[in-house]
Amino acid sequence: MRLRLVPKDTKWDFFSRPTLWLGISGLLIVLALVSFFLQGLNFGIDFRGGTTIRTESTQEVVVADYRAAIQPLELGDISITEVFDPNFEDNQFVTMIRIQAQEGQEAVTGDVIRQIEAALQTVAPDISFVSVESVGPKVSGELIQTAVIAVILAIAAVLIYIWLRFEWQFALGAVAALVHDVILTIGVFSELQIRFDLAIIAALLTIVGYSLNDTVVVFDRVRENLRKYKKLDLKAVLNLSINETLSRTVMTSVTTLLALISLFVLGGDVIRGFVFAMIWGVIVGTYSSIFVASAVLLKLGVKRDWSKPSNTSGNQFANIDA
Amino acid sequence: MLQIDLWKRILIWAVVVIGLLMATPNGFYERVEARNDAVAALDLGYSGNGLEEQAALWPSWMPSSLVNLGLDLRGGAHLLAEVQVEDVYETRIKSMWPEIRDMLREERATIGTIRLQPSDPDKLVVKISKPEQIDRAASLVRGLARPVISVTAAGQNDIVVSTNGDTFTVQLSEAEKLATDERTVQQSLEIIRRRIDEVGTREPTIQRQGSDRILIQVPGIGSAAELKEIIGTTAQLTFHPVVGRGSNPEANPGPGNFLVPDMENSTDVSDSSNVYYTLESAPVVTGEELVDAQPSFDQNNTPAVSFRFNPTGARKFGQYTAENIGSPFAIVLDDEVVSAPVIQAHIPGGSGIITGRFSVEESTNLAILLRAGALPAGLEFLEERTIGPELGQDSIDAGRIACIVAFAAVLVFMVLSYGLFGIFANVALIINVGLIFGLLSMIGATLTLPGIAGIVLTIGMAVDANVLVFERIREELKTAKGPARAIELGYEKALSAILDANITTMITAVILLVMGSGPVQGFAWTLMIGIATSVFTAIFVTRLMIVTWFERRRPKTIEV
């Protein structure tokens, strides 16, 4: 007996309400953008400049005491958060302290760190700094710039590749799905105020890759079926293709999610944000490859005057497949 | 039908075996690491201390490259420094003054007396008493210009001389500035490397980034502050003639001179016991002409640093001391006077001793810095990160557990879904992870925390190619004639989807690698390698296993 997540030979109609699905996605995008513009992202020091210190102590943390101890040093805006993780031992208490970039200084000096350490020792004598990271405003500005460029480049590169391999309607559909995924991910990060740092950009690009992976598999089947069933209308072909690949789509998403969830639970707090972004991306990416990419393709329509399969659109890249 | 040539089979298994062999050292990380260190030490000519036994911990015929662990996993310090290239312009232009002065003095009859005017530090402004001869003076100074030594700026001179009334201004040309910047950064890179090597840590990364930045990563060092102490000091050592001495920090040193505080001055500027020296800007000799520096003790048994000049330095130093017996000269380290002794006698041998008020540790450090050479320019630190070794170890442990659990979950899930074919896919998955580690070790890539996430993600996604094929085989079984044909068609038809899907992911990984930095690049590497190996295992290894199984059993029907 085999485990089957998707029943055999599904004939679900995914486009009975195309406007509804596109509407939901549109609404979510609007919500994400509103949250982004109202609240903004909780940028980590990579993008904002400043210093983060990770402290560890065997004594229970009282954030107010920590704050009171550091306050006299006059370091400007300070945020102190306690970190919890199931992997910690019972007497392991961890905090993250974030200090804004100091005026006129690129990176924080060793003296300042020593002062903070001395100040905190009055509250928790055995406190130790397990990591200290400091990024100057000069670099953080550049990091934002490169990050944005990287995401745009990735989307553009993908657009071109799919355009070469398929048709421009496919490329637009895939990119619509990508932009949808990226915006929704940024929206979640701004809504939940999860720290947004360099690693999250890596996660975003991975989501771009993953979402595409899914979309391309569906599109590949659409292309095949368009040639195979010349009489069927586009909507039927899309439905057929999605149903045929549904089992694979779900299988892959589930194995990937299995791996990611174990990392989310067991992988430690340092990469939890990163893994969260990926889990979210896998879910949204799977959804969007069906309901956004294909729906956009349906709206755009595909020209189907292929006399011979070998002469798809007259470009040299359309037929490198085996 | 299902045919795979023998040579192809051998090639596929050979790649797998070699890949797995390359990965094995990582299973015995500490052991192999100790062995590699011991071998490196033996190569350098050290012996004893159990080095030979350590070297025998791992057979020498086995591959011994390991995956480098990134700073976030091993702990250590990371610095991003910007070289203040402008510093050098000032030194360069200042050092030209004695030459210009001496030359123009000989021409006093035609151009009159000359006087250096106060100006921006990166230029010399000179006033002459006969303004009508300004062009003559300028052309004389232009005669001192040398061609720029660089590939791109051939034929251009290193200085630009402009005139204005009775003054002329000497500046570095743009081409020379560019060439100087390049040299300064290269030199800084080299000196930082030497200083870190002197301290002797394992596998530091010292890389140039962009035009004037240097990235320094040293695993295993306590903190970024410690690292900064080693590389952050310029250790610019110069010997200057002393013009005067006083206690006024605002004193006007006059053109061609500069004011330097004593090393012992208190930080309180208004302290009247502070001493300030007025020195000639152009040094007699500089630390660049040192060949050796060692920590030592002076006659009073206080810590000191003894040094030796190279022949040119020794000649200049000897000549200067012979001509200036009885007058003081100052030893300046990074814009502070260490000491200003009076020259007692001609010092011909080119060696000497710096007595300051050092502790033993300070004198040892100073000797290291002097030996490695001075940084040509100051460094500004744009980014500093310290990661404690415990945090790194925690991350490794957590990552390992997560990997194992993810692995087990996917394995079970695949068997439940695809039965025997699921087992094939699982074997391929294990091979896949082995190959990732093998390749990472082979190219010496660095494994970072996001990199571990990349591997876990690959575990999830690697089965994708297999799933694509299996699903396709399932579909083909419904229509095709016989299982062999279904398997063949399954592979054939799934290929375009597999390639398209993976090429697009590869594109994003490449962009990450090019645009990203540090941990993100580590992630991009594992992702790229993971994509390559998973495609390889899915379309070659799994297929070979299925074909081999099919040939042996010849089943009439198959269930996928």
Side-chain angles (χ1 to χ4, degrees), chain A residues 2-4 9 46 108 130-134 136 138 142 161 165 206 213 220-221 224 247-248 252, chain B residues 82 213 380 382 384-386 388 416-417 457 460 464 471-472 474-475 478 495-496 500-501 523:
Chain A
R2 296 281 195 270
L3 174 75
R4 278 192 182 269
D9 299 326
D46 289 340
V108 79
V130 276
S131 79
V132 179
E133 304 190 41
S134 185
K138 207 174 193 168
E142 292 169 9
Y161 180 80
R165 286 282 283 154
T206 317
N213 200 318
D220 185 76
R221 188 57 71 96
E224 189 186 324
S247 167
R248 173 265 158 198
T252 301
Chain B
E82 191 169 69
R213 291 185 186 167
E380 184 171 23
L382 305 180
E384 288 182 47
R385 296 174 199 263
T386 309
L416 286 178
S417 302
L457 183 73
D464 180 55
E471 292 291 333
R472 199 73 207 215
R474 271 185 187 172
E475 281 174 50
K478 292 178 208 157
L495 192 65
S496 86
D500 276 338
F523 173 76

Side-chain angles (χ1 to χ4, degrees), chain A residues 1-5 9 45-46 54 56 87 92 105-110 114 129-139 142-143 146 149-151 153-154 157-158 161-162 165-166 198-199 201-203 205-206 208-210 212-213 216-217 220-221 223-224 228 244-245 247-248 251-252 254-256 258-260 262-263 266-268 270-271 274-275 278 282 320-322, chain B residues 80 82 84 213 224-225 228-229 380-391 394-395 397-399 401-403 405-407 409-410 413-421 449-450 452-454 456-457 459-461 463-465 467-468 471-472 474-476 478 492-505 507-508 511-512 515 517 519-520 523 527 559-560:
Chain A
M1 209 29 231
R2 296 281 195 270
L3 174 75
R4 278 192 182 269
L5 297 175
D9 299 326
I45 55 161
D46 289 340
R54 187 183 170 95
E56 214 177 292
N87 293 340
Q92 190 179 5
Q105 274 177 2
E106 278 299 328
V108 79
T109 56
R114 272 188 288 274
F129 289 180
V130 276
S131 79
V132 179
E133 304 190 41
S134 185
V135 178
K138 207 174 193 168
V139 178
E142 292 169 9
L143 285 176
T146 24
I149 293 174
V151 173
L153 260 187
V158 157
Y161 180 80
I162 297 192
R165 286 282 283 154
F166 298 85
L198 260 191
I201 294 292
L205 284 179
T206 317
V208 168
Y210 183 88
L212 212 60
N213 200 318
V216 165
V217 169
D220 185 76
R221 188 57 71 96
R223 180 172 56 180
E224 189 186 324
K228 210 155 135 193
E244 280 178 353
T245 51
S247 167
R248 173 265 158 198
M251 274 295 297
T252 301
V254 169
T255 52
T256 309
L258 275 179
L260 286 175
S262 62
L263 196 60
L266 302 165
V270 183
I271 50 169
F274 177 73
V275 179
M278 298 234 252
V282 168
I320 56 170
D321 48 335
Chain B
L80 180 65
E82 191 169 69
Q84 306 305 105
R213 291 185 186 167
K228 257 162 78 178
E229 264 162 39
E380 184 171 23
F381 294 96
L382 305 180
E383 211 181 303
E384 288 182 47
R385 296 174 199 263
T386 309
I387 290 115
E390 320 85 25
L391 184 62
D394 289 352
S395 296
D397 294 344
I401 295 172
C403 266
V405 172
F407 218 83
V410 172
F413 185 69
M414 285 299 281
V415 173
L416 286 178
S417 302
Y418 297 109
L420 181 64
F421 278 53
L449 191 51
I452 292 185
V456 174
L457 183 73
I459 294 175
M461 281 175 64
V463 292
D464 180 55
V467 169
L468 273 167
E471 292 291 333
R472 199 73 207 215
R474 271 185 187 172
E475 281 174 50
E476 297 301 328
K478 292 178 208 157
E492 222 167 72
K493 292 199 172 164
L495 192 65
S496 86
I498 293 177
L499 287 183
D500 276 338
N502 284 291
I503 288 174
T504 43
T505 315
I507 292 175
T508 53
I511 289 171
L512 264 184
M515 310 286 296
S517 67
V520 175
F523 173 76
L527 194 63
E559 194 193 351
V560 180

Side-chain angles (χ1 to χ4, degrees), chain A residues 55-99:
Chain A
T55 69
E56 214 177 292
S57 159
T58 54
Q59 282 165 18
E60 197 127 9
V61 174
V62 183
V63 172
D65 290 354
Y66 276 42
R67 183 177 294 278
I70 305 177
Q71 211 73 66
L73 299 176
E74 291 176 1
L75 295 167
D77 183 25
I78 300 169
S79 90
I80 302 172
T81 38
E82 191 170 1
V83 180
F84 301 96
D85 190 271
N87 293 340
F88 289 165
E89 283 156 37
D90 288 340
N91 60 352
Q92 190 179 5
F93 297 96
V94 177
T95 59
M96 294 291 283
I97 300 175
R98 190 163 78 190
I99 302 159

Side-chain angles (χ1 to χ4, degrees), chain B residues 7-36:
Chain B
W7 68 270
K8 273 192 194 163
R9 297 183 186 214
I10 294 173
L11 192 66
I12 294 169
W13 286 125
V15 170
V16 170
V17 170
I18 292 173
L20 293 184
L21 264 183
M22 297 297 296
T24 28
N26 296 297
F28 307 89
Y29 203 95
E30 273 151 32
R31 196 162 171 177
V32 180
E33 189 169 55
R35 179 260 176 192
N36 287 353

Side-chain angles (χ1 to χ4, degrees), chain B residues 305-326:
Chain B
V305 177
S306 61
F307 61 86
R308 207 152 46 77
F309 285 118
N310 65 12
T312 8
R315 198 171 333 112
K316 281 194 254 179
F317 192 60
Q319 201 182 354
Y320 181 79
T321 49
E323 286 167 6
N324 293 281
I325 293 174

Side-chain angles (χ1 to χ4, degrees), chain B residues 34 75 106 133 140 154 163 223 245 281 285 294 300 318 331 468 515:
Chain B
E106 285 172 17
Q133 290 295 329
L140 277 172
T163 58
S223 73
R245 186 170 179 272
S281 302
V285 252
Q294 293 294 340
N300 302 327
I331 302 173
L468 273 167
M515 310 286 296

